[in-house]
Amino acid sequence: MRFFQAALLVLPWVASALGQESSTPKEKHEYQSDVARLRRIVINSLYSHRDVFLRELISNANDALEKLRITALTDKSLLQAGEPLNITIKLLPSPAGTGEAGRVVITDTGVGMTPEELTQNLGTLAKSGTSDFLVQAEGASTSQQGNLIGQFGLGFYSSFLVADHVYVASVPAARPEGGEREQWVFASGAEDQSFEVYPDPRGRTLEHGTEITLVVRDDAKEFVDPKKVKELVEKHSSFSTTYPIYLYTLITEEVPDEEASSVPIAESLEHEAPSASPKSEADEDSEAAIVEDLPEESEDTAPVTPPLPPMKNVTREVYEQLNDQPPIWVCDAKTVSDEEYNEFYKSTFKDSHDPLAHLHFAGDSGSTVSFKSLLYIPSELPPDFWSSQMSRVNGVRLMVKRVFITNDLGDDALPKWISWLRAIVDADDLPLNVSREQLQSTKFLAQIKSILVKRAISLLQKLANAPPSINEETGEEEGGAKYKEVWKAIGSAIKMGAMEGSAGQKNKLGSLTRWATNTREFVGLDDYVSNRKKGQKQIFYLAGVGQRAEDLAKSVFIEKLHARGYEVLLLTEPMDEILLNSFQRWGGLTFQDVAKKGLKYGDEDLDAEADKTEQATLAVRFAPLLGWLKQEYKGTVMDVVISNRLVTSPCAIVADQYGYSANMERLMAAQQRTAKDSANDWMAEFARKQRSLEINPKSPLIEGMLRVVQGLDWEEDVLSDEGDKPSREITQAEFELKEVAQILLDGALVRSGFEVSDPNTFFSRVDIILRRSLGVSETAQAKVDVRPAPPVETGPLDWNFKQHEPELEFKEDPFELGDFDYELPKNPFSQEPEAKAFDEAQGHDEL
């Protein structure tokens, strides 16, 4: 890898060289007053997680690189063309028994430091070379100032979280007047009250830049593991710098030893090679093919396998770039392709599927904090979205100048309905505490929460209102195809937001909901209102949880609506009916459950006289049947009326306008009843009885029942004084009519989605009707031939009993006195408290 040759000079092994004595005496400096004590606070109290040391050191390396880049804009001699600017991490495990876990070497090819700057910047806590540089660069533009974060001195001391000793070797990029650049070392221990600055005994190993060597303690050996380092860089620093971060590791592999195996293999092949046929004299002067005599195949001859070559272990250097994914949210959206957005999403949020949509924007939180953000809509809801009651948002990554801060938004987390959102928010500045691990104020979090919700809703609206497009391959129109995918993935969450959100969000999210109807598949509420019939004042809907939309469209309740061309929303999810009831009105229309009483089409006034005349005629004609059914169903339904919603079905059970529909009854039955609800049982029971039976006057079955009723003297059927027997005998025709009426009622309950009161009685009546239609005796019983169970067994149950095993008989006692002359334990079982309590409770005798 020639590209890295210049950079590799900054990665030498410093296990012993840094500790060697140099010819130049070392300069020993005492830390400033209270600095050592403050340094211990930094090490022991400031950072809650010691793995942040890598984040701090990489941030400092980025500062040094950015400082060199900006300075080189005015001083071309500092940076040669093509000179690499990068950060390298070298992991060097120590041999066992040395007392060290190994060394971590972090090198940058940045601006570097002179001996005086090493003393000033590292010997003084929180002395910031970056801050001094920014003071000098006040006249530079914002783009020239670059992305400089952190206090160098404070971040540097985080290295003592994992290291006993730290060595900092550095070479300044600026050439001193009248001299050569030298490489100096800053050395200090975690418990030292002083530090040393001296020339590097290794000589000049860096072109320019800084090399930090951490002698890692044994209890921090995990940080010498390449896997752990990759995880930390990916979590905190994968976007913190625009310069490449390379991880150097030594990998030992087992490879064939070609030198040791070349001669034996050649000799082996020479002995095993088949013999060639000799050339004839006629072929010596001419070109001819060489034909080999292959040995005759034999079943006893095994194939010849050449021996495996000897192996040897080879250690090689490996350089892997850890931040190959650029922070695309800082780029111009016009320069980033959809493929790049998708690949960034999959690598950052660990999702194997492409996102459904994304939004790239910049803004201001309203508190003078500007930020850039990139949010995604995933291809599916999180697995625990419905099972967890609390809103757990871990898909929003909050960053400050491309350094990851947290994904825990705490009390300012997003609402549960939008907890699926995946987003990156990169603020230019935030009031962080000194360790940069927590926010000092939650004001920005509250503001960014509101911004993310608004932007996400705006993205959904853009997708939902997208104009129709033409598929170039098929030539078909694909209007709203992308939003159909979004709705399939997160539609239920959008409904939750419309039901629980604020007033403003409620209307916006409500317009994003999509429904199946009896005529179309993907209909919004605004689209429904715009497609309403003349005079229509209601949005018709029918709810059936767990049913398919195509099956719900065949319901008896929408027969006439469908026949007349009205559109009915088909609700198939548990929250649908509750959601529509929470809207109350939409686009000036109220919501009407077509399974309830009071159905109006809206055009009744157009031909009111004709309708009234027809209804009056039907009421007179079917008055005998209505009266007989009311008496028959007394206590079961409130009323029996002529229906205006049925076309082919004979009848239907319709809930009262303020009663429970069949769908609502199922929802309530699915909820766990508690003792507190028992006081409201009478209310629920009363609501369940608010039902009416609507009959279809054009049904042949209803007309047949009318003819039978007209031949009865049912109006004279007055109960006797006893109150349980009629004053006259019931004829066979009336008895059969009563059976038909009961089956008709139970069938209407089932078709209308309700439950029958007694399923066994219902099916017994059906059995009688079937027998009667087939000419089978109604009283005939099935032949019963069931073998009874064995008699009750008496006596104790012997678990050790073996069937057919003869008992041993002894003519005389084979044992003698004293054979069992020992004391049995009082309780051979465990004397655990549970076992003891069990014995005492059972009252068993001790063994």
mmCIF file of all heavy atoms in Angstrom, residues 495 515-517 542-558 569-577 593 595 661-667 749-755:
data_model
loop_
_atom_site.group_PDB
_atom_site.id
_atom_site.type_symbol
_atom_site.label_atom_id
_atom_site.label_comp_id
_atom_site.label_asym_id
_atom_site.label_seq_id
_atom_site.Cartn_x
_atom_site.Cartn_y
_atom_site.Cartn_z
ATOM 1 N N LYS A 495 -52.214 6.179 12.374
ATOM 2 C CA LYS A 495 -53.539 6.217 12.995
ATOM 3 C C LYS A 495 -53.434 6.497 14.488
ATOM 4 O O LYS A 495 -54.239 7.257 15.041
ATOM 5 C CB LYS A 495 -54.258 4.895 12.764
ATOM 6 C CG LYS A 495 -54.674 4.631 11.325
ATOM 7 C CD LYS A 495 -55.363 3.291 11.191
ATOM 8 C CE LYS A 495 -55.751 2.986 9.756
ATOM 9 N NZ LYS A 495 -56.372 1.650 9.618
ATOM 10 N N TRP A 515 -57.964 4.279 3.623
ATOM 11 C CA TRP A 515 -58.955 3.278 3.967
ATOM 12 C C TRP A 515 -59.371 2.507 2.724
ATOM 13 O O TRP A 515 -59.338 3.028 1.606
ATOM 14 C CB TRP A 515 -60.200 3.936 4.580
ATOM 15 C CG TRP A 515 -59.874 4.942 5.639
ATOM 16 C CD1 TRP A 515 -59.586 6.264 5.463
ATOM 17 C CD2 TRP A 515 -59.769 4.701 7.041
ATOM 18 N NE1 TRP A 515 -59.312 6.863 6.668
ATOM 19 C CE2 TRP A 515 -59.429 5.921 7.663
ATOM 20 C CE3 TRP A 515 -59.956 3.578 7.844
ATOM 21 C CZ2 TRP A 515 -59.255 6.066 9.024
ATOM 22 C CZ3 TRP A 515 -59.791 3.718 9.208
ATOM 23 C CH2 TRP A 515 -59.444 4.932 9.786
ATOM 24 N N ALA A 516 -59.800 1.285 2.948
ATOM 25 C CA ALA A 516 -60.450 0.507 1.890
ATOM 26 C C ALA A 516 -61.944 0.787 1.940
ATOM 27 O O ALA A 516 -62.517 0.996 3.011
ATOM 28 C CB ALA A 516 -60.175 -0.981 2.089
ATOM 29 N N THR A 517 -62.581 0.808 0.800
ATOM 30 C CA THR A 517 -64.022 1.001 0.722
ATOM 31 C C THR A 517 -64.633 -0.121 -0.109
ATOM 32 O O THR A 517 -63.929 -0.993 -0.618
ATOM 33 C CB THR A 517 -64.376 2.359 0.081
ATOM 34 O OG1 THR A 517 -64.070 2.319 -1.320
ATOM 35 C CG2 THR A 517 -63.592 3.486 0.734
ATOM 36 N N LEU A 542 -68.275 1.028 8.108
ATOM 37 C CA LEU A 542 -68.665 -0.230 8.736
ATOM 38 C C LEU A 542 -67.420 -0.853 9.321
ATOM 39 O O LEU A 542 -66.406 -1.014 8.626
ATOM 40 C CB LEU A 542 -69.299 -1.182 7.720
ATOM 41 C CG LEU A 542 -69.692 -2.566 8.244
ATOM 42 C CD1 LEU A 542 -70.749 -2.441 9.337
ATOM 43 C CD2 LEU A 542 -70.189 -3.458 7.118
ATOM 44 N N ALA A 543 -67.465 -1.209 10.610
ATOM 45 C CA ALA A 543 -66.300 -1.740 11.314
ATOM 46 C C ALA A 543 -66.447 -3.235 11.528
ATOM 47 O O ALA A 543 -67.526 -3.716 11.901
ATOM 48 C CB ALA A 543 -66.112 -1.028 12.656
ATOM 49 N N GLY A 544 -65.354 -3.939 11.313
ATOM 50 C CA GLY A 544 -65.309 -5.380 11.562
ATOM 51 C C GLY A 544 -63.882 -5.799 11.830
ATOM 52 O O GLY A 544 -63.119 -6.099 10.899
ATOM 53 N N VAL A 545 -63.474 -5.796 13.094
ATOM 54 C CA VAL A 545 -62.092 -6.101 13.461
ATOM 55 C C VAL A 545 -61.753 -7.539 13.071
ATOM 56 O O VAL A 545 -62.504 -8.466 13.355
ATOM 57 C CB VAL A 545 -61.876 -5.889 14.975
ATOM 58 C CG1 VAL A 545 -60.485 -6.339 15.387
ATOM 59 C CG2 VAL A 545 -62.087 -4.438 15.333
ATOM 60 N N GLY A 546 -60.608 -7.693 12.439
ATOM 61 C CA GLY A 546 -60.142 -9.023 12.081
ATOM 62 C C GLY A 546 -60.684 -9.551 10.771
ATOM 63 O O GLY A 546 -60.243 -10.606 10.295
ATOM 64 N N GLN A 547 -61.621 -8.867 10.171
ATOM 65 C CA GLN A 547 -62.181 -9.309 8.902
ATOM 66 C C GLN A 547 -61.436 -8.678 7.729
ATOM 67 O O GLN A 547 -60.858 -7.597 7.855
ATOM 68 C CB GLN A 547 -63.666 -8.941 8.807
ATOM 69 C CG GLN A 547 -64.540 -9.554 9.888
ATOM 70 C CD GLN A 547 -66.007 -9.259 9.666
ATOM 71 O OE1 GLN A 547 -66.531 -9.453 8.581
ATOM 72 N NE2 GLN A 547 -66.676 -8.781 10.709
ATOM 73 N N ARG A 548 -61.443 -9.358 6.624
ATOM 74 C CA ARG A 548 -60.873 -8.795 5.415
ATOM 75 C C ARG A 548 -61.830 -7.773 4.815
ATOM 76 O O ARG A 548 -63.046 -7.883 4.954
ATOM 77 C CB ARG A 548 -60.571 -9.886 4.399
ATOM 78 C CG ARG A 548 -59.534 -10.911 4.864
ATOM 79 C CD ARG A 548 -59.226 -11.893 3.759
ATOM 80 N NE ARG A 548 -60.439 -12.540 3.255
ATOM 81 C CZ ARG A 548 -60.456 -13.321 2.187
ATOM 82 N NH1 ARG A 548 -59.355 -13.548 1.496
ATOM 83 N NH2 ARG A 548 -61.595 -13.882 1.797
ATOM 84 N N ALA A 549 -61.270 -6.784 4.135
ATOM 85 C CA ALA A 549 -62.104 -5.729 3.571
ATOM 86 C C ALA A 549 -63.067 -6.294 2.538
ATOM 87 O O ALA A 549 -64.232 -5.882 2.477
ATOM 88 C CB ALA A 549 -61.214 -4.656 2.944
ATOM 89 N N GLU A 550 -62.600 -7.262 1.746
ATOM 90 C CA GLU A 550 -63.484 -7.824 0.723
ATOM 91 C C GLU A 550 -64.639 -8.606 1.335
ATOM 92 O O GLU A 550 -65.735 -8.667 0.757
ATOM 93 C CB GLU A 550 -62.694 -8.713 -0.240
ATOM 94 C CG GLU A 550 -61.830 -9.759 0.417
ATOM 95 C CD GLU A 550 -60.413 -9.285 0.648
ATOM 96 O OE1 GLU A 550 -60.214 -8.068 0.833
ATOM 97 O OE2 GLU A 550 -59.497 -10.125 0.637
ATOM 98 N N ASP A 551 -64.418 -9.217 2.495
ATOM 99 C CA ASP A 551 -65.514 -9.920 3.175
ATOM 100 C C ASP A 551 -66.465 -8.929 3.839
ATOM 101 O O ASP A 551 -67.689 -9.129 3.841
ATOM 102 C CB ASP A 551 -64.959 -10.880 4.220
ATOM 103 C CG ASP A 551 -64.154 -12.008 3.587
ATOM 104 O OD1 ASP A 551 -64.422 -12.326 2.416
ATOM 105 O OD2 ASP A 551 -63.259 -12.559 4.256
ATOM 106 N N LEU A 552 -65.912 -7.876 4.396
ATOM 107 C CA LEU A 552 -66.738 -6.866 5.045
ATOM 108 C C LEU A 552 -67.617 -6.139 4.030
ATOM 109 O O LEU A 552 -68.716 -5.675 4.357
ATOM 110 C CB LEU A 552 -65.841 -5.871 5.788
ATOM 111 C CG LEU A 552 -66.473 -5.039 6.911
ATOM 112 C CD1 LEU A 552 -67.071 -5.940 7.968
ATOM 113 C CD2 LEU A 552 -65.431 -4.116 7.518
ATOM 114 N N ALA A 553 -67.155 -6.065 2.789
ATOM 115 C CA ALA A 553 -67.937 -5.399 1.751
ATOM 116 C C ALA A 553 -69.195 -6.178 1.383
ATOM 117 O O ALA A 553 -70.089 -5.622 0.727
ATOM 118 C CB ALA A 553 -67.074 -5.192 0.508
ATOM 119 N N LYS A 554 -69.277 -7.447 1.800
ATOM 120 C CA LYS A 554 -70.458 -8.258 1.519
ATOM 121 C C LYS A 554 -71.470 -8.219 2.654
ATOM 122 O O LYS A 554 -72.437 -8.984 2.651
ATOM 123 C CB LYS A 554 -70.037 -9.709 1.269
ATOM 124 C CG LYS A 554 -69.047 -9.880 0.121
ATOM 125 C CD LYS A 554 -68.567 -11.316 0.013
ATOM 126 C CE LYS A 554 -67.503 -11.476 -1.058
ATOM 127 N NZ LYS A 554 -66.978 -12.862 -1.128
ATOM 128 N N SER A 555 -71.274 -7.350 3.627
ATOM 129 C CA SER A 555 -72.152 -7.290 4.790
ATOM 130 C C SER A 555 -73.564 -6.879 4.389
ATOM 131 O O SER A 555 -73.775 -6.152 3.408
ATOM 132 C CB SER A 555 -71.594 -6.304 5.813
ATOM 133 O OG SER A 555 -72.511 -6.082 6.863
ATOM 134 N N VAL A 556 -74.521 -7.331 5.179
ATOM 135 C CA VAL A 556 -75.924 -6.986 4.920
ATOM 136 C C VAL A 556 -76.181 -5.496 5.102
ATOM 137 O O VAL A 556 -77.149 -4.959 4.551
ATOM 138 C CB VAL A 556 -76.849 -7.793 5.859
ATOM 139 C CG1 VAL A 556 -76.733 -9.276 5.583
ATOM 140 C CG2 VAL A 556 -76.526 -7.492 7.325
ATOM 141 N N PHE A 557 -75.315 -4.828 5.875
ATOM 142 C CA PHE A 557 -75.574 -3.432 6.192
ATOM 143 C C PHE A 557 -75.311 -2.496 5.020
ATOM 144 O O PHE A 557 -75.757 -1.346 5.051
ATOM 145 C CB PHE A 557 -74.726 -3.004 7.396
ATOM 146 C CG PHE A 557 -75.056 -3.734 8.661
ATOM 147 C CD1 PHE A 557 -74.153 -4.601 9.243
ATOM 148 C CD2 PHE A 557 -76.277 -3.546 9.276
ATOM 149 C CE1 PHE A 557 -74.462 -5.279 10.406
ATOM 150 C CE2 PHE A 557 -76.598 -4.214 10.444
ATOM 151 C CZ PHE A 557 -75.687 -5.091 11.009
ATOM 152 N N ILE A 558 -74.549 -2.930 4.048
ATOM 153 C CA ILE A 558 -74.227 -2.011 2.956
ATOM 154 C C ILE A 558 -74.811 -2.496 1.623
ATOM 155 O O ILE A 558 -74.363 -2.062 0.559
ATOM 156 C CB ILE A 558 -72.699 -1.813 2.832
ATOM 157 C CG1 ILE A 558 -72.008 -3.135 2.493
ATOM 158 C CG2 ILE A 558 -72.128 -1.202 4.079
ATOM 159 C CD1 ILE A 558 -70.522 -2.960 2.244
ATOM 160 N N LEU A 569 -66.586 3.313 4.055
ATOM 161 C CA LEU A 569 -65.273 2.972 4.596
ATOM 162 C C LEU A 569 -65.365 1.641 5.328
ATOM 163 O O LEU A 569 -66.265 1.427 6.149
ATOM 164 C CB LEU A 569 -64.785 4.059 5.554
ATOM 165 C CG LEU A 569 -64.632 5.487 4.997
ATOM 166 C CD1 LEU A 569 -64.130 6.412 6.091
ATOM 167 C CD2 LEU A 569 -63.700 5.509 3.806
ATOM 168 N N LEU A 570 -64.423 0.759 5.078
ATOM 169 C CA LEU A 570 -64.384 -0.560 5.706
ATOM 170 C C LEU A 570 -63.260 -0.570 6.731
ATOM 171 O O LEU A 570 -62.078 -0.514 6.376
ATOM 172 C CB LEU A 570 -64.180 -1.647 4.648
ATOM 173 C CG LEU A 570 -65.191 -1.640 3.491
ATOM 174 C CD1 LEU A 570 -64.839 -2.700 2.474
ATOM 175 C CD2 LEU A 570 -66.616 -1.831 4.014
ATOM 176 N N LEU A 571 -63.617 -0.638 7.996
ATOM 177 C CA LEU A 571 -62.647 -0.561 9.091
ATOM 178 C C LEU A 571 -62.314 -1.962 9.570
ATOM 179 O O LEU A 571 -63.195 -2.680 10.038
ATOM 180 C CB LEU A 571 -63.208 0.279 10.240
ATOM 181 C CG LEU A 571 -63.921 1.593 9.852
ATOM 182 C CD1 LEU A 571 -64.319 2.358 11.100
ATOM 183 C CD2 LEU A 571 -63.053 2.433 8.946
ATOM 184 N N THR A 572 -61.051 -2.333 9.499
ATOM 185 C CA THR A 572 -60.644 -3.698 9.833
ATOM 186 C C THR A 572 -59.677 -3.775 11.007
ATOM 187 O O THR A 572 -59.343 -4.873 11.438
ATOM 188 C CB THR A 572 -59.987 -4.359 8.611
ATOM 189 O OG1 THR A 572 -58.852 -3.576 8.203
ATOM 190 C CG2 THR A 572 -60.963 -4.447 7.454
ATOM 191 N N GLU A 573 -59.217 -2.636 11.525
ATOM 192 C CA GLU A 573 -58.261 -2.643 12.627
ATOM 193 C C GLU A 573 -58.947 -2.178 13.912
ATOM 194 O O GLU A 573 -59.920 -1.417 13.863
ATOM 195 C CB GLU A 573 -57.060 -1.750 12.311
ATOM 196 C CG GLU A 573 -56.227 -2.262 11.144
ATOM 197 C CD GLU A 573 -54.959 -1.457 10.964
ATOM 198 O OE1 GLU A 573 -54.732 -0.493 11.742
ATOM 199 O OE2 GLU A 573 -54.174 -1.767 10.048
ATOM 200 N N PRO A 574 -58.436 -2.612 15.078
ATOM 201 C CA PRO A 574 -59.125 -2.312 16.353
ATOM 202 C C PRO A 574 -59.333 -0.827 16.618
ATOM 203 O O PRO A 574 -60.356 -0.424 17.165
ATOM 204 C CB PRO A 574 -58.206 -2.949 17.402
ATOM 205 C CG PRO A 574 -57.480 -4.036 16.671
ATOM 206 C CD PRO A 574 -57.287 -3.531 15.283
ATOM 207 N N MET A 575 -58.347 0.010 16.246
ATOM 208 C CA MET A 575 -58.455 1.425 16.607
ATOM 209 C C MET A 575 -59.251 2.245 15.593
ATOM 210 O O MET A 575 -59.494 3.432 15.816
ATOM 211 C CB MET A 575 -57.048 2.019 16.753
ATOM 212 C CG MET A 575 -56.313 2.215 15.444
ATOM 213 S SD MET A 575 -54.702 2.989 15.686
ATOM 214 C CE MET A 575 -53.805 1.631 16.429
ATOM 215 N N ASP A 576 -59.675 1.654 14.486
ATOM 216 C CA ASP A 576 -60.293 2.433 13.411
ATOM 217 C C ASP A 576 -61.575 3.128 13.850
ATOM 218 O O ASP A 576 -61.758 4.326 13.626
ATOM 219 C CB ASP A 576 -60.575 1.525 12.218
ATOM 220 C CG ASP A 576 -59.300 1.093 11.516
ATOM 221 O OD1 ASP A 576 -58.238 1.643 11.847
ATOM 222 O OD2 ASP A 576 -59.365 0.196 10.651
ATOM 223 N N GLU A 577 -62.481 2.380 14.464
ATOM 224 C CA GLU A 577 -63.766 2.969 14.853
ATOM 225 C C GLU A 577 -63.580 4.044 15.918
ATOM 226 O O GLU A 577 -64.237 5.088 15.897
ATOM 227 C CB GLU A 577 -64.709 1.874 15.359
ATOM 228 C CG GLU A 577 -66.121 2.357 15.631
ATOM 229 C CD GLU A 577 -67.069 1.222 15.969
ATOM 230 O OE1 GLU A 577 -66.608 0.060 16.038
ATOM 231 O OE2 GLU A 577 -68.265 1.493 16.171
ATOM 232 N N ASP A 593 -72.135 5.180 11.312
ATOM 233 C CA ASP A 593 -71.959 3.729 11.319
ATOM 234 C C ASP A 593 -73.191 3.111 10.661
ATOM 235 O O ASP A 593 -74.306 3.228 11.174
ATOM 236 C CB ASP A 593 -71.789 3.240 12.755
ATOM 237 C CG ASP A 593 -71.449 1.755 12.816
ATOM 238 O OD1 ASP A 593 -71.508 1.070 11.771
ATOM 239 O OD2 ASP A 593 -71.118 1.273 13.916
ATOM 240 N N ALA A 595 -74.108 0.212 10.563
ATOM 241 C CA ALA A 595 -74.676 -0.890 11.342
ATOM 242 C C ALA A 595 -75.547 -0.381 12.466
ATOM 243 O O ALA A 595 -76.010 -1.173 13.295
ATOM 244 C CB ALA A 595 -73.550 -1.767 11.903
ATOM 245 N N SER A 661 -72.235 -1.268 18.718
ATOM 246 C CA SER A 661 -72.231 -2.061 17.495
ATOM 247 C C SER A 661 -71.575 -3.412 17.796
ATOM 248 O O SER A 661 -70.955 -3.619 18.853
ATOM 249 C CB SER A 661 -71.463 -1.339 16.391
ATOM 250 O OG SER A 661 -70.101 -1.201 16.752
ATOM 251 N N ALA A 662 -71.712 -4.345 16.850
ATOM 252 C CA ALA A 662 -71.104 -5.662 17.044
ATOM 253 C C ALA A 662 -69.595 -5.554 17.172
ATOM 254 O O ALA A 662 -68.971 -6.254 17.977
ATOM 255 C CB ALA A 662 -71.480 -6.580 15.876
ATOM 256 N N ASN A 663 -68.999 -4.662 16.409
ATOM 257 C CA ASN A 663 -67.552 -4.488 16.477
ATOM 258 C C ASN A 663 -67.127 -3.950 17.831
ATOM 259 O O ASN A 663 -66.149 -4.412 18.433
ATOM 260 C CB ASN A 663 -67.104 -3.532 15.369
ATOM 261 C CG ASN A 663 -65.610 -3.317 15.359
ATOM 262 O OD1 ASN A 663 -64.832 -4.195 15.013
ATOM 263 N ND2 ASN A 663 -65.186 -2.128 15.746
ATOM 264 N N MET A 664 -67.870 -2.984 18.371
ATOM 265 C CA MET A 664 -67.529 -2.416 19.668
ATOM 266 C C MET A 664 -67.725 -3.439 20.778
ATOM 267 O O MET A 664 -66.953 -3.470 21.744
ATOM 268 C CB MET A 664 -68.378 -1.167 19.923
ATOM 269 C CG MET A 664 -67.950 -0.378 21.149
ATOM 270 S SD MET A 664 -66.229 0.215 21.031
ATOM 271 C CE MET A 664 -66.371 1.371 19.668
ATOM 272 N N GLU A 665 -68.723 -4.286 20.653
ATOM 273 C CA GLU A 665 -68.914 -5.333 21.651
ATOM 274 C C GLU A 665 -67.718 -6.288 21.681
ATOM 275 O O GLU A 665 -67.268 -6.703 22.749
ATOM 276 C CB GLU A 665 -70.194 -6.115 21.357
ATOM 277 C CG GLU A 665 -71.462 -5.444 21.851
ATOM 278 C CD GLU A 665 -72.645 -6.395 21.872
ATOM 279 O OE1 GLU A 665 -72.423 -7.606 21.654
ATOM 280 O OE2 GLU A 665 -73.769 -5.942 22.106
ATOM 281 N N ARG A 666 -67.187 -6.645 20.513
ATOM 282 C CA ARG A 666 -66.024 -7.538 20.477
ATOM 283 C C ARG A 666 -64.806 -6.870 21.089
ATOM 284 O O ARG A 666 -64.022 -7.511 21.788
ATOM 285 C CB ARG A 666 -65.738 -7.961 19.039
ATOM 286 C CG ARG A 666 -66.716 -8.984 18.487
ATOM 287 C CD ARG A 666 -66.207 -9.582 17.194
ATOM 288 N NE ARG A 666 -66.124 -8.573 16.152
ATOM 289 C CZ ARG A 666 -67.124 -8.288 15.318
ATOM 290 N NH1 ARG A 666 -68.276 -8.940 15.422
ATOM 291 N NH2 ARG A 666 -66.982 -7.373 14.378
ATOM 292 N N LEU A 667 -64.643 -5.583 20.836
ATOM 293 C CA LEU A 667 -63.505 -4.870 21.420
ATOM 294 C C LEU A 667 -63.604 -4.827 22.935
ATOM 295 O O LEU A 667 -62.610 -5.032 23.643
ATOM 296 C CB LEU A 667 -63.431 -3.454 20.870
ATOM 297 C CG LEU A 667 -63.034 -3.296 19.391
ATOM 298 C CD1 LEU A 667 -63.070 -1.825 18.996
ATOM 299 C CD2 LEU A 667 -61.656 -3.885 19.147
ATOM 300 N N LEU A 749 -78.520 -12.267 14.050
ATOM 301 C CA LEU A 749 -77.456 -11.895 14.989
ATOM 302 C C LEU A 749 -76.085 -12.275 14.440
ATOM 303 O O LEU A 749 -75.133 -11.479 14.487
ATOM 304 C CB LEU A 749 -77.682 -12.567 16.340
ATOM 305 C CG LEU A 749 -78.828 -12.005 17.197
ATOM 306 C CD1 LEU A 749 -79.105 -12.925 18.378
ATOM 307 C CD2 LEU A 749 -78.490 -10.604 17.696
ATOM 308 N N VAL A 750 -75.982 -13.494 13.902
ATOM 309 C CA VAL A 750 -74.692 -13.965 13.384
ATOM 310 C C VAL A 750 -74.267 -13.138 12.171
ATOM 311 O O VAL A 750 -73.119 -12.689 12.071
ATOM 312 C CB VAL A 750 -74.783 -15.468 13.031
ATOM 313 C CG1 VAL A 750 -73.506 -15.918 12.336
ATOM 314 C CG2 VAL A 750 -75.026 -16.291 14.283
ATOM 315 N N ARG A 751 -75.184 -12.933 11.219
ATOM 316 C CA ARG A 751 -74.843 -12.171 10.012
ATOM 317 C C ARG A 751 -74.536 -10.725 10.329
ATOM 318 O O ARG A 751 -73.763 -10.071 9.617
ATOM 319 C CB ARG A 751 -75.979 -12.239 9.001
ATOM 320 C CG ARG A 751 -76.208 -13.608 8.405
ATOM 321 C CD ARG A 751 -77.024 -13.524 7.139
ATOM 322 N NE ARG A 751 -76.332 -12.781 6.096
ATOM 323 C CZ ARG A 751 -76.861 -12.509 4.899
ATOM 324 N NH1 ARG A 751 -78.104 -12.902 4.628
ATOM 325 N NH2 ARG A 751 -76.184 -11.839 3.999
ATOM 326 N N SER A 752 -75.105 -10.197 11.399
ATOM 327 C CA SER A 752 -74.853 -8.812 11.780
ATOM 328 C C SER A 752 -73.624 -8.668 12.650
ATOM 329 O O SER A 752 -73.281 -7.542 13.055
ATOM 330 C CB SER A 752 -76.078 -8.231 12.511
ATOM 331 O OG SER A 752 -77.229 -8.307 11.681
ATOM 332 N N GLY A 753 -72.957 -9.774 12.975
ATOM 333 C CA GLY A 753 -71.718 -9.718 13.735
ATOM 334 C C GLY A 753 -71.868 -9.917 15.221
ATOM 335 O O GLY A 753 -70.878 -9.890 15.956
ATOM 336 N N PHE A 754 -73.096 -10.144 15.712
ATOM 337 C CA PHE A 754 -73.308 -10.346 17.142
ATOM 338 C C PHE A 754 -73.194 -11.835 17.471
ATOM 339 O O PHE A 754 -73.094 -12.690 16.579
ATOM 340 C CB PHE A 754 -74.692 -9.825 17.554
ATOM 341 C CG PHE A 754 -74.850 -8.343 17.392
ATOM 342 C CD1 PHE A 754 -75.467 -7.819 16.259
ATOM 343 C CD2 PHE A 754 -74.395 -7.465 18.366
ATOM 344 C CE1 PHE A 754 -75.635 -6.456 16.101
ATOM 345 C CE2 PHE A 754 -74.563 -6.097 18.217
ATOM 346 C CZ PHE A 754 -75.173 -5.584 17.077
ATOM 347 N N GLU A 755 -73.230 -12.134 18.751
ATOM 348 C CA GLU A 755 -73.214 -13.513 19.215
ATOM 349 C C GLU A 755 -74.614 -13.930 19.645
ATOM 350 O O GLU A 755 -75.345 -13.134 20.254
ATOM 351 C CB GLU A 755 -72.247 -13.683 20.392
ATOM 352 C CG GLU A 755 -70.790 -13.446 20.030
ATOM 353 C CD GLU A 755 -69.867 -13.704 21.204
ATOM 354 O OE1 GLU A 755 -70.391 -14.024 22.307
ATOM 355 O OE2 GLU A 755 -68.649 -13.586 21.047
#
